[in-house]
């Protein structure tokens, strides 16, 4: 926790150095990746891939199975034929939207870890719009559900963004706390006033059929929501990386003082980027309802928001790496399911792996510099 | 007056794990490495307590070993965030996800159970009833009949409050967060202090977890911390490093959890009572940002690596 002597305008002060020799941590974008040679850019993914593979193999071997063939069986389950690829992808659709939403805000210097809450709010909004309005023309109804979810998610995030921009309320902590307030409120709605009397407590009424995406591949749960996700990802990429607005937001994230000095409204950028981020998370939640569950229930999206935050971290808030990482994560999850079917390795393997991978990725620079320091020390000892 | 007794007793029961976890987190707030992984650390503590209890059939061994393992994990965590320069916030978030996955993973691969592990051989923590006070209506419910760890947590409050007043160690911990350069100049070791705070945090989170899984019940359930770690975190965020305020907040949050369970759902929906800690911390955060001269609490936007 940093109780910095920071004014509200001076965003994101780097923590003061704990190491006497000076902390050389930089801001996410400052390292100028475009100029880096390809080989150096590939070090990080290669390191992560190798670390992840080793962890997976060790964990499988520890359960007494032949690691390579078991892993192969898992991958075959995830990617073996078009139907399994579709199934793998179907689970990840909400995560794609939510991750890219978290990335967008993170890029603007706003760490939105309230994704979980915004997803729940979006899911609730979509479930209500789907069940209490209509039935009507399916496309229109779906649009309404998504729009409703986007507005709810966006408003929540915009409010938190405003608190940060106007009053300097730390958005990392406020979004963290907002998660539980929103989730508990949704749980209240689903158990008391809006619960489906015909079902057990904690679920809302089922949405009309017109508020459900149709399957595009039979019995894979892959729905036409796929196209919505593709459009949203492409639009967000354009907004973040190619548009003037996105440039302003990124500037705000990298150096708020510079942005302010060059005439960018930091306040506006912060609120708007948070609102967009929240809207995307809300849509992610809406997809949970309209593309698979068909109703809201109290544990509809458990963990997806946190997954999105982890993915935003590991992809350093870049949209394209984020999409790649979500795909990788989907494959990991699906493969873990497959492994569970051929062995007794629990499918929680994927959760264990993704956490291990992120810590390995975060520690990589530190490991390398420790290693170099050690080598230098040995050289020093030898020199005497 | 039975319901008051029942309510207070249940409030104290809820308070203990929150209080232990909040006291665990406190030094990490001093060193400005706020550990948001309380939930995960508690979950591991609960799991380890049950597993060790089941295999040794001894409550003391379960508590002792869990604290030791916690301390060791804290050292590893401290090493990660200092020498390997992993962002502490990232590490904390990952710890929560990791604990949720890993405890289920271990539960299923070690015992082949899904959901809940309960066994008669898991020893229960002895509950202490103080003779004399036991029979007094309200006082008895508050002071007597709790598990040993409840009394331990009260002792830790006293020790921590005294330590803040009189010891150099706490001053060093705070200096490591507020002014590392000054601590270095004074001959202290910033890195060691930061690691020490994490060791303390994990050891105490282990205790909080054991209290959950062996304090009243003797079982482990997937995700049994159910947000208590974040309630404790809310208390730490709210109290800004003050021990007594922290204890007070923890008791308040424990009582509000008891309201959620004890009060009839038609009178007050349980979710609203559960919301209280987060709302209080949230409002506290806003008030702090509006009133504090230095702009309140600020967590630097976490960066995965430089």
């Amino acid at each position: 926790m940093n109780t910095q002597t920071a004014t509200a305008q001076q965003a994101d002060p780097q923590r003061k150095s704990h190491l006497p020799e000076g902390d050389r941590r930089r801001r996410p974008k400052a390292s100028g990746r475009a100029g880096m040679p390809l080989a150096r850019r590939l070090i990080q993914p290669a390191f992560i891939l190798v670390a992840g593979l080793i962890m997976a193999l060790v964990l499988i071997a520890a359960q007494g199975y032949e690691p390579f063939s078991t892993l192969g069986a898992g991958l075959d389950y995830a990617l073996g034929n078009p139907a399994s690829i579709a199934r793998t992808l179907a689970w990840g659709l909400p995560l794609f939207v939510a991750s890219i939403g978290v990335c967008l805000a993170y890029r603007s210097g706003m760490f939105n870890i309230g994704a979980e809450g915004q997803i729940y709010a979006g899911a609730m909004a979509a479930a209500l719009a789907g069940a209490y309005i209509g039935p009507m023309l399916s496309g229109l109804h779906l649009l309404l559900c998504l729009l409703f979810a986007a507005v709810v998610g966006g408003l929540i995030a915009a409010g938190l963004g405003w608190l940060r921009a106007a009053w300097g309320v730390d958005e990392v902590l406020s979004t963290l706390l907002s998660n539980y307030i929103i989730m508990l409120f949704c749980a209240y709605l689903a158990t008391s006033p809006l619960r489906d009397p015909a079902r057990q407590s904690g679920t809302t009424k089922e949405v009309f059929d017109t508020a459900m995406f149709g399957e595009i591949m039979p019995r894979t749960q892959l729905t036409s929501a796929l196209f919505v996700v593709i459009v949203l990802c492409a639009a967000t990429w354009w907004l973040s990386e190619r548009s003037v607005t996105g440039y302003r937001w990124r500037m705000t994230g990298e150096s708020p003082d510079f942005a302010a000095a060059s005439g960018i409204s930091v306040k506006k950028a912060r609120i708007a980027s948070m609102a967009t981020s929240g809207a995307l998370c809300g849509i992610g939640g809406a997809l949970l309802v309209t593309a698979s569950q068909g109703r809201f229930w109290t544990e509809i999206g458990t963990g997806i928001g946190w997954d999105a935050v982890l993915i935003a971290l590991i992809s350093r808030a870049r949209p394209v790496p984020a999409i790649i990482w979500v795909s990788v994560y989907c494959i990991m999850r699906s493969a873990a399911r497959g492994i569970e079917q051929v062995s007794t390795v629990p499918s929680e393997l994927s959760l264990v792996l993704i956490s291990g991978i992120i810590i390995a990725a975060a520690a990589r620079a530190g490991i390398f510099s420790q290693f170099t320091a050690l080598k230098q020390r040995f050289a020093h000892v030898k020199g005497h | 007056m039975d319901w008051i007794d029942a309510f207070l007793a249940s409030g104290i029961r809820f308070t203990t794990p929150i209080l232990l976890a909040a006291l665990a987190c406190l030094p990490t707030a001093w060193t400005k490495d706020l550990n948001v992984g309380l939930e995960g650390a508690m979950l591991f503590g609960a799991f380890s307590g049950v597993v060790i209890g089941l295999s040794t059939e001894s409550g003391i061994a379960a508590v002792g070993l869990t604290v030791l393992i916690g301390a060791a994990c804290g050292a590893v965590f401290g090493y990660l965030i200092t020498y390997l320069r992993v962002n502490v916030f990232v590490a904390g978030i990952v710890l929560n996800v990791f604990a949720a996955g890993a405890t289920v993973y271990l539960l299923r691969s070690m015992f082949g159970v899904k959901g809940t592990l309960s066994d008669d051989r898991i020893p229960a923590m002895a509950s202490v009833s103080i003779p004399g006070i036991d029979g007094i209506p309200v006082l008895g419910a508050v002071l007597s009949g709790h598990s040993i760890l409840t009394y331990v947590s009260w002792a830790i409050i006293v020790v921590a409050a005294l330590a803040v007043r009189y010891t150099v160690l706490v001053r060093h911990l705070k200096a490591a967060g507020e002014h590392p350069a000054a601590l270095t100049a004074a001959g202290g070791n910033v890195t060691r202090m930061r690691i020490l705070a994490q060791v303390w945090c994990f050891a105490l989170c282990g205790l909080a977890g054991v209290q959950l899984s062996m304090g009243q019940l003797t079982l482990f359930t997937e995700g049994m911390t159910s947000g208590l770690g974040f309630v404790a975190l809310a208390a730490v965020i709210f109290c800004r490093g003050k021990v007594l305020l922290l204890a007070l907040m923890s008791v308040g949050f424990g009582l509000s959890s008891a309201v959620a369970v004890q009060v009839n759902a038609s009178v007050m929906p349980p979710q609203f009572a559960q919301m209280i800690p987060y709302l209080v911390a949230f409002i506290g955060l806003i008030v702090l940002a509006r009133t504090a001269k230095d702009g309140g609490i600020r967590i630097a936007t976490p960066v995965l690596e430089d």
Side-chain angles (χ1 to χ4, degrees), chain A:
Chain A
M1 194 189 333
N2 270 10
T3 319
Q4 299 272 0
T5 49
T7 57
Q9 276 75 35
Q10 186 199 349
D12 156 46
Q14 292 294 291
R15 76 171 294 142
K16 276 177 198 151
S17 165
H18 276 294
L19 306 166
E21 70 269 27
D23 194 345
R24 278 161 305 173
R25 261 178 270 180
R26 271 168 290 167
R27 283 158 208 274
K29 180 60 204 263
S31 46
R33 308 236 302 158
M36 242 189 251
L38 189 68
R40 282 207 52 198
R41 269 201 279 171
L42 286 178
I43 288 180
Q44 165 87 352
F47 176 82
I48 291 173
L49 197 70
V50 171
L53 263 180
I54 292 174
M55 274 186 267
L57 294 175
V58 168
L59 281 170
I60 294 170
Q63 302 269 340
Y65 292 92
E66 212 288 296
F68 287 96
S69 62
T70 315
L71 191 65
L75 285 174
D76 184 57
Y77 176 85
L79 300 169
N81 55 53
S84 53
I85 295 177
R87 227 176 288 125
T88 302
L89 201 60
W91 176 83
L93 289 182
L95 188 57
F96 276 106
V97 187
S99 300
I100 208 162
V102 177
C103 284
L104 190 68
Y106 192 11
R107 202 79 204 273
S108 327
M110 303 290 279
F111 195 49
N112 177 16
I113 53 174
E116 185 102 349
Q118 287 144 24
I119 286 171
Y120 268 80
M124 178 53 97
L128 296 184
Y132 290 91
I133 307 174
M136 59 173 93
L137 189 68
S138 182
L140 195 67
H141 202 174
L142 279 170
L143 188 69
L144 198 71
C145 287
L146 295 191
L147 212 61
F148 209 55
V151 168
V152 170
L155 279 179
I156 292 170
L160 295 167
W162 181 83
L163 280 176
R164 166 82 177 91
W167 287 359
V169 179
D170 182 67
E171 89 283 0
V172 181
L173 294 175
S174 71
T175 51
L176 176 71
L177 294 171
S178 78
N179 276 336
Y180 297 92
I181 300 173
I182 296 165
M183 281 159 67
L184 286 167
F185 187 70
C186 287
Y188 159 72
L189 288 180
T191 46
S192 293
L194 298 170
R195 87 172 255 217
D196 182 358
R199 308 245 314 185
Q200 78 273 34
S201 188
T203 55
T204 62
K205 254 167 58 174
E206 191 167 9
V207 299
F208 289 109
D209 282 344
T210 51
M212 291 291 285
F213 285 100
E215 275 191 342
I216 49 175
M217 224 169 135
R219 298 199 296 122
T220 57
Q221 295 184 336
L222 186 66
T223 55
S224 46
L226 176 67
F227 304 117
V228 176
V229 171
I230 291 173
V231 169
L232 280 175
C233 285
T236 312
W237 172 82
W238 180 82
L239 176 68
S240 169
E241 306 297 313
R242 289 288 177 274
S243 74
V244 178
T245 317
Y247 177 74
R248 289 192 180 130
W249 292 359
R250 278 185 280 136
M251 239 348 95
T252 310
E254 275 160 37
S255 170
D257 293 339
F258 174 74
S262 49
I264 296 169
S265 166
V266 171
K267 203 168 149 180
K268 222 193 271 172
R270 284 193 172 139
I271 299 173
S273 64
M274 272 299 271
T276 320
S277 164
L280 285 168
C281 290
I283 292 176
L287 290 181
L288 283 173
V289 173
T290 56
S292 63
Q293 306 285 338
R295 62 172 83 227
F296 178 92
W297 53 289
T298 43
E299 280 169 22
I300 187 167
T302 308
I304 288 197
W306 290 111
D307 290 342
V309 170
L310 293 187
I311 283 167
L313 275 170
I314 201 167
S315 59
R316 299 147 169 240
R318 304 297 187 286
V320 175
I323 289 167
I324 296 171
W325 268 108
V326 177
S327 315
V328 170
Y329 186 55
C330 289
I331 295 169
M332 274 167 59
R333 262 189 77 104
S334 195
R337 290 260 167 80
I339 289 172
E340 192 180 49
Q341 289 184 353
V342 296
S343 68
T344 59
V345 182
S347 63
E348 279 72 22
L349 180 70
S350 60
L351 275 177
V352 174
L353 272 186
I354 191 86
S355 341
I357 283 178
I358 290 173
I359 288 300
R364 187 191 64 94
I367 291 173
F368 282 9
S369 69
Q370 286 281 302
F371 188 66
T372 326
L374 210 66
K375 235 167 51 183
Q376 270 168 3
R377 205 144 102 204
F378 275 120
H380 191 67
V381 170
K382 257 189 235 161
H384 273 272

Side-chain angles (χ1 to χ4, degrees), chain B residues 5-301:
Chain B
D5 278 6
F7 170 70
L8 287 176
S10 129
I12 298 289
R13 272 202 296 278
F14 277 109
T15 302
T16 306
I18 297 173
L19 185 60
L20 282 170
L23 286 168
C25 191
L26 188 66
T28 70
W30 288 338
T31 58
K32 301 235 190 311
D33 289 316
L34 186 70
N35 189 339
V36 291
L38 296 178
E39 181 93 358
M42 276 167 83
L43 201 54
F44 272 126
F47 182 74
S48 125
V50 164
V51 170
I52 297 170
L54 189 59
S55 49
T56 62
E57 299 189 26
S58 146
I60 297 166
V63 175
L65 279 175
T66 302
V67 170
L68 281 182
I69 295 170
C73 294
V76 173
F77 192 89
Y79 179 77
L80 275 175
I81 63 164
T82 50
Y83 288 103
L84 296 188
R85 301 208 305 265
V86 177
N87 182 296
V88 65
F89 203 84
V90 175
I93 295 175
V94 172
L95 178 63
N96 288 332
V97 175
F98 179 66
T103 48
V104 179
Y105 185 91
L106 290 172
L107 195 63
R108 293 178 64 187
S109 52
M110 283 166 70
F111 301 99
V113 236
K114 209 173 177 183
T116 301
L117 173 70
S118 81
D119 195 305
D120 292 338
R121 283 172 301 154
I122 301 172
M125 208 71 67
S127 67
V128 183
S129 52
I130 304 169
I133 299 179
D134 205 23
I136 306 170
V138 174
L139 209 59
V142 176
L143 293 180
S144 171
H146 305 298
S147 88
I148 295 172
L149 291 181
T150 304
Y151 302 104
V152 171
S153 71
W154 295 351
I156 294 173
I157 300 176
V158 177
V159 171
L162 290 177
V164 170
R165 265 255 153 103
Y166 299 110
T167 61
V168 180
L169 182 67
V170 174
R171 238 169 282 155
H172 276 196
L173 283 168
K174 286 185 171 175
E178 276 161 24
H179 210 314
L183 179 60
T184 315
N189 187 328
V190 176
T191 312
R192 200 176 294 158
M193 284 301 132
R194 292 177 67 195
I195 294 178
L196 188 67
Q198 299 299 339
V199 169
W200 167 267
C201 176
F202 276 70
L204 236 60
C205 277
L207 270 189
V210 170
Q211 164 69 17
L212 274 183
S213 63
M214 296 167 68
Q216 281 83 40
L217 316 158
T218 50
L219 52 82
F220 177 83
T221 314
E222 289 176 11
M224 75 184 303
T225 43
S226 61
L228 281 182
F230 286 105
V231 173
L233 187 67
V236 174
I237 291 170
F238 187 85
C239 83
R240 291 212 296 159
K242 296 187 187 66
V243 179
L244 291 179
L245 186 60
L246 182 81
L248 211 63
M249 286 321 289
S250 303
V251 173
F253 293 170
L255 288 178
S256 71
S257 305
V259 168
V261 177
Q262 301 273 326
V263 174
N264 194 310
S266 59
V267 179
M268 180 177 186
Q271 288 88 2
F272 287 161
Q274 286 166 1
M275 241 185 250
I276 292 171
Y278 307 113
L279 280 174
V280 168
F282 191 82
I283 294 166
L285 205 61
I286 296 173
V287 170
L288 201 68
R290 293 296 284 161
T291 53
K293 284 193 195 76
D294 58 4
I297 302 167
R298 181 81 195 108
I299 288 187
T301 306

